[in-house]
Amino acid sequence: MLRLHEARRLVALRSRSMASISEAVGYASPAQFSRDYKRAFGSAPIHDAKNFS
């Protein structure tokens, strides 16, 4: 859960691509990262990125 919170912070900053964020927080698969993120926060990371801006 800690790495997903860090990913959410990076998504909010919009400083990296989703693939780069998923790798930075320890995911080998961007698809798995997206699934786990959505499960944890209720929306996909790309959707949050649009809402945070």
Side-chain angles (χ1 to χ4, degrees):
M1 195 61 174
L2 189 60
R3 64 183 175 165
L4 287 171
H5 280 287
E6 175 62 10
R8 195 169 203 200
R9 185 184 71 79
L10 293 172
V11 167
L13 292 175
R14 296 190 54 126
S15 62
R16 298 177 168 192
S17 69
M18 290 304 147
S20 176
I21 290 171
S22 70
E23 186 178 319
V25 297
Y27 280 87
S29 166
Q32 185 63 46
F33 162 69
S34 184
R35 282 191 296 272
D36 288 352
Y37 186 101
K38 186 172 183 176
R39 194 173 299 124
F41 301 118
S43 62
I46 194 73
H47 181 41
D48 277 355
K50 291 176 184 175
N51 287 337
F52 286 140
S53 61

